[in-house]
Amino acid sequence: MSTDVHDLAGIGLGPFNLGLAALADAVPGLDAVFLDRRAEFSWHPGLLLDGARLQVPFLADLVTMVDPTSRWSFLNYLREHDRMFPFFFAERFHVPRREYDHYCAWVARSLPSCRFGAEVTAVSWDADRAAFRLTHDGGELLARNVVLGVGTQPRVPAAFQPLLGKEICHAADYLTNLPALTAAADVTVIGSGQSGAEVFLDLLRRQPETGSRVRWLTRGQFAPMEYSKIGLEHFTPDYTSYFRGLDPSTRDRLVPAQWQLYKAVSADTLAEIQDLLYERTVGGGRVAAELTPHTEIRTVESVDGRYRLGCHEIQQDRPYTVDTDRVVLATGYAASVPPFLDPLDHLVHWDERRRQRVNADHRVELDPAVTGGLYVQNGELHTHGVGAPDLTLGAWRAATILNAVTGRTVHRLPARTAFTSFGAP
């Protein structure tokens, strides 16, 4: 193990910690290292569908919202790959998801601070060295500050957990299991978010070849994401600051009620689905597809080689069953505390629901005996609101963390970011 103590160590290299690595690259004298267990960068590979686009403009890349002059901007990526003219003529504000993945992979390969194939197994506090000790499968390292960027994990309803495989899978593994799904006569998609809509649309497009019946069930409704110009100001630092000032119980009530800000479907995707269904019915044609909202799945069982879903229509308060051959669970993702933090468990200040308490600088509250900083990215929805998982605020959060870690303003951040005045005067 090296005896050197890094200023900062990032665990996980999704877009948020990769953005932190990119912004840290421009900070003179900052010794930063980033570890990821995977062999290379890959962003939601199971959902890199043809035609799928980012739900945020390309300016919400890894760095531009903080430093548009950075060499790691999306525009510089285009320039480096001789794609500036094609991009200009395409007139796309929302880029293909595949291109965003390729852009991030380019940055990850180019930054010397990023190390792949290094799985962290334990993080502890070394009081003698006044640093965190990170144990990984390649050895150990010390860092005064640690930033968690491990992302969220697929949420699988309890009833489906024993049955996960090629026939019942989470949307995160959709492309991996596509051969088994398209070979079935009847496929059911569960969940009303963007991934559910994209999977349903993809299965619809494949129907002429597969002949499958496709079904889309959801507890909520098929509704578009809030995308008005003033409504989007919920994804500003101003709103984050307002949200943090609310009582914790108010925050917990508010986040689920704001589902249309961050869990709904792009209006363009909904329009593509409706357009496809409309065209298929020209001349009296029939579409082997169902869209059913307000349905809760309460049970699932294997019956004669198929799956019987015990459904409940919420508004009518009526039960019914659905028999299907395959199920795709577009049931979202959830933050969790990784097991490698177990050695720090007694030093973390947990809230009453055993969630990390996170301050304005995205620093986890720890016992005062710990002089180093433990920061979190996309694990603070309960303290920072709907902007936590959104790419729009990624660069701003990374800059905030860097300013806190260095104790100085290495990236200047605006004092006001919204026209809306959140809260009473």
Side-chain angles (χ1 to χ4, degrees):
M1 183 194 77
S2 171
T3 58
D4 295 336
V5 179
H6 298 280
D7 296 316
L8 182 156
I11 304 176
L13 274 165
F16 293 133
N17 257 3
L18 184 58
L20 178 64
L23 288 173
D25 186 54
V27 181
L30 182 68
D31 180 6
V33 61
F34 294 82
L35 309 176
D36 193 283
R37 66 182 180 180
R38 298 168 299 176
E40 59 185 0
F41 180 89
S42 183
W43 187 62
H44 296 304
L47 285 168
L48 292 181
L49 304 171
D50 291 339
R53 296 182 296 274
L54 283 190
Q55 290 180 278
V56 295
F58 72 90
L59 293 174
D61 62 14
L62 300 174
V63 295
T64 295
M65 295 295 283
V66 166
D67 182 10
T69 67
S70 170
R71 63 180 292 201
W72 307 117
S73 71
F74 180 77
L75 286 178
N76 192 51
Y77 155 81
L78 293 173
R79 176 171 134 351
E80 290 291 319
H81 290 80
D82 296 330
R83 289 176 57 79
M84 190 66 82
F85 274 89
F87 177 76
F88 177 79
F89 294 125
E91 296 185 347
R92 284 183 169 179
F93 206 44
H94 295 79
V95 301
R97 193 177 294 160
R98 287 184 184 275
E99 188 169 29
Y100 179 78
D101 176 69
H102 190 260
Y103 154 66
C104 288
W106 168 72
V107 175
R109 287 193 305 269
S110 305
L111 282 171
S113 61
C114 296
R115 303 180 188 175
F116 288 88
E119 181 175 6
V120 174
T121 56
V123 178
S124 58
W125 176 247
D126 188 328
D128 294 335
R129 301 298 302 276
F132 293 97
R133 184 179 298 275
L134 280 67
T135 303
H136 57 91
D137 50 14
E140 290 186 338
L141 62 83
L142 295 168
R144 298 181 186 88
N145 299 278
V146 171
V147 184
L148 303 174
V150 295
T152 52
Q153 302 302 313
R155 181 188 287 113
V156 177
F160 289 94
Q161 289 176 8
L163 301 171
L164 280 180
K166 293 184 179 299
E167 297 181 349
I168 295 182
C169 67
H170 193 274
D173 301 313
Y174 172 68
L175 287 179
T176 303
N177 294 293
L178 188 58
L181 295 169
T182 53
D186 189 289
V187 184
T188 299
V189 181
I190 299 174
S192 60
Q194 182 67 19
S195 60
E198 290 177 354
V199 167
F200 181 70
L201 177 59
D202 188 66
L203 291 170
L204 276 180
R205 286 171 171 162
R206 297 175 187 274
Q207 274 187 325
E209 291 76 37
T210 66
S212 301
R213 183 175 189 81
V214 184
R215 185 181 298 100
W216 189 12
L217 305 177
T218 174
R219 287 190 61 183
Q221 59 195 55
F222 305 116
M225 179 135 353
E226 165 61 58
Y227 206 72
S228 66
K229 293 182 178 180
I230 294 298
L232 287 177
E233 291 194 342
H234 285 88
F235 300 99
T236 60
D238 286 17
Y239 181 75
T240 299
S241 177
Y242 163 76
F243 184 87
R244 273 193 44 75
L246 298 174
D247 180 86
S249 61
T250 301
R251 296 198 299 246
D252 287 341
R253 291 196 305 270
L254 189 57
V255 169
Q258 293 178 319
W259 63 272
Q260 210 162 346
L261 286 171
Y262 71 110
K263 282 188 174 183
V265 183
S266 160
D268 289 341
T269 306
L270 290 174
E272 289 182 66
I273 291 172
Q274 205 276 344
D275 289 345
L276 182 55
L277 293 172
Y278 178 81
E279 290 173 13
R280 293 263 177 90
T281 58
V282 171
R286 297 179 63 84
V287 180
E290 299 175 24
L291 295 83
T292 308
H294 314 133
T295 294
E296 181 179 57
I297 313 300
R298 295 187 172 179
T299 61
V300 56
E301 59 180 331
S302 179
V303 179
D304 297 328
R306 307 188 78 199
Y307 297 97
R308 178 159 295 164
L309 308 180
C311 305
H312 193 89
E313 213 291 349
I314 297 171
Q315 295 183 351
Q316 293 179 322
D317 192 23
R318 289 175 53 188
Y320 67 100
T321 61
V322 166
D323 288 343
T324 188
D325 300 307
R326 305 286 189 270
V327 177
V328 181
L329 299 167
T331 44
Y333 299 79
S336 61
V337 179
F340 62 70
L341 286 183
D342 287 350
L344 293 177
D345 188 273
H346 65 291
L347 297 172
V348 175
H349 290 179
W350 305 96
D351 69 10
E352 63 280 357
R353 294 173 61 176
R354 195 170 166 72
R355 298 172 299 190
Q356 296 164 338
R357 299 181 185 272
V358 185
N359 71 14
D361 292 335
H362 303 273
R363 181 170 176 165
V364 177
E365 292 184 15
L366 300 175
D367 186 280
V370 180
T371 57
L374 177 66
Y375 298 83
V376 63
Q377 300 219 65
N378 194 15
E380 71 281 23
L381 180 68
H382 60 292
T383 58
H384 286 64
V386 294
D390 195 87
L391 293 175
T392 305
L393 283 172
W396 175 84
R397 177 172 51 202
T400 300
I401 291 172
L402 284 173
N403 289 347
V405 165
T406 60
R408 65 185 192 276
T409 303
V410 295
H411 290 289
R412 183 179 63 84
L413 298 175
R416 183 76 186 264
T417 56
F419 291 115
T420 304
S421 297
F422 296 103

